[in-house]
Amino acid sequence: MDKNLSYGDDYKFIPATSIGSGIGVEVLPDLYCHTIQIVNIIMVGKPGNNEFVLVDTGMPFSADEIISVVNNRFGENSQPKAIILTHGHFDHVGAIIDLVERWKVPVYAHELELPFLTGKKSYPEPDPTVEGGMVAKMSPMFPNEPINLGTHVEKLPSDGSVPHMPDFRWIHTPGHAPGHVSFFREVDRALIAGDAFITVKQDALYKVITQDQEINGPPRYLTTDWHAAWESVRRLEELKPTVAITGHGVPMSDELLTTSLERLVREFDQIAIPDYGKYVDKRTH
Ligand SMILES: [Zn+2]
Ligand SMILES: [Zn+2]
């Protein structure tokens, strides 16, 4: 066992859930989305062979659930070729130390996320004063200390390719986190958006619990650069995705996705950027 691997000092169980918790959806034959409490993990690859990867690793203390979901879909004792991260926030790396110790697979993330994944730098404190509902108010309990994956984490290839996801390329979509990335596949215009935009109003506990489908910008309490976040949504909209799996909320597709994304780009200052909060720059309004 690698003694250097560790969660952050403020690692803890977060008591938040939704009606989607524990439920999985096969979005496409090789894209499976499963909800851990309030956040999605994605398995990329077709069942029946061992060529698959895991994108993001859920909430703290969810390793057993993730392992059983992987085994159910790919067979007993199966394991991904790699873990790929959209970004390193606590709800996307919640089980990662357990999974890396068990599977001994490499982790890939954008190089700007590496300080948060190698014990060097904390994320900014979540902002409970931001305009928003109960989840925003709860956010001070969310872990923001860096985890340490040591040498198990590597930067994504600079040519835009994604290891073990041959038809996908990664796209830098900062704003919510400095090294936030999304994954796009040209052939069927499938998008894994992470938290660049999401399909639920994540700041409001009621909306999180019911998972009402509603396009939104990134979760507010952790987003520190709203100007970059707007640019990132613009970039993703230009790709004209036909289906999107986001970090939070139910996957969205076709006409609803197209019109929702167009509206989000157009009205980002109204829909996404909070009216007040410590990371809100008045100039982005
Ligand atoms: Zn996030
Ligand atoms: Zn998230």
Side-chain angles (χ1 to χ4, degrees):
M1 210 94 326
D2 191 330
K3 281 198 288 299
N4 296 321
L5 297 183
S6 62
Y7 290 111
D9 294 338
D10 55 354
Y11 185 75
K12 64 169 99 53
F13 178 77
I14 301 297
T17 196
S18 72
I19 58 163
S21 184
I23 293 175
V25 193
E26 187 173 83
V27 179
L28 289 170
D30 68 344
L31 285 184
Y32 191 85
C33 171
H34 176 92
T35 307
I36 306 276
Q37 293 176 257
I38 57 165
V39 70
N40 297 323
I41 60 167
I42 301 144
M43 279 161 263
V44 182
K46 282 203 178 94
N49 72 60
N50 256 331
E51 272 297 320
F52 70 98
V53 300
L54 177 65
V55 175
D56 290 349
T57 64
M59 297 286 278
F61 297 99
S62 64
D64 288 346
E65 179 174 350
I66 294 176
I67 289 162
S68 86
V69 169
V70 164
N71 287 349
N72 281 341
R73 185 158 171 85
F74 292 95
E76 261 338 281
N77 296 317
S78 55
Q79 58 173 69
K81 295 287 182 207
I83 294 170
I84 319 262
L85 294 176
T86 58
H87 63 304
H89 283 156
F90 77 97
D91 50 333
H92 299 255
V93 300
I96 200 163
I97 301 293
D98 298 78
L99 297 177
V100 167
E101 285 182 338
R102 181 188 175 102
W103 290 332
K104 315 231 177 324
V105 292
V107 177
Y108 294 92
H110 189 277
E111 68 178 314
L112 293 176
E113 291 297 284
L114 297 185
F116 311 110
L117 300 169
T118 51
K120 294 198 176 69
K121 197 173 167 193
S122 304
Y123 282 109
E125 296 284 339
D127 178 12
T129 70
V130 74
E131 181 202 2
M134 265 310 288
V135 177
K137 304 282 180 285
M138 283 168 69
S139 65
M141 74 161 72
F142 297 164
N144 71 315
E145 296 290 323
I147 63 165
N148 195 351
L149 285 162
T151 56
H152 295 264
V153 63
E154 299 171 41
K155 74 182 176 81
L156 284 161
S158 39
D159 64 2
S161 65
V162 187
H164 307 287
M165 287 169 62
D167 298 327
F168 280 86
R169 63 190 164 96
W170 63 265
I171 299 157
H172 189 204
T173 44
H176 177 61
H180 188 287
V181 291
S182 305
F183 305 102
F184 183 67
R185 180 164 63 189
E186 191 80 41
V187 55
D188 58 358
R189 318 202 80 73
L191 176 68
I192 296 171
D195 287 355
F197 69 89
I198 58 177
T199 60
V200 65
K201 200 167 165 60
Q202 186 70 10
D203 317 296
L205 187 59
Y206 167 77
K207 299 279 189 174
V208 169
I209 291 171
T210 60
Q211 297 280 290
D212 279 356
Q213 224 182 10
E214 174 180 345
I215 203 156
N216 249 285
R220 289 175 165 179
Y221 42 86
L222 287 172
T223 301
T224 50
D225 185 340
W226 285 101
H227 181 74
W230 196 343
E231 277 309 307
S232 291
V233 170
R234 213 171 260 139
R235 194 168 313 141
L236 294 178
E237 191 276 330
E238 280 167 5
L239 298 172
K240 306 291 176 200
T242 54
V243 59
I245 304 177
T246 54
H248 305 271
V250 179
M252 196 181 265
S253 67
D254 304 310
E255 187 64 25
L256 179 63
L257 176 62
T258 305
T259 54
S260 301
L261 258 184
E262 281 169 7
R263 192 168 64 87
L264 183 62
V265 167
R266 212 168 47 236
E267 300 169 17
F268 194 81
D269 50 345
Q270 296 301 316
I271 298 171
I273 303 177
D275 283 343
Y276 52 87
K278 67 179 179 183
Y279 302 121
V280 180
D281 173 354
K282 286 298 150 204
R283 285 169 304 172
T284 52
H285 268 279

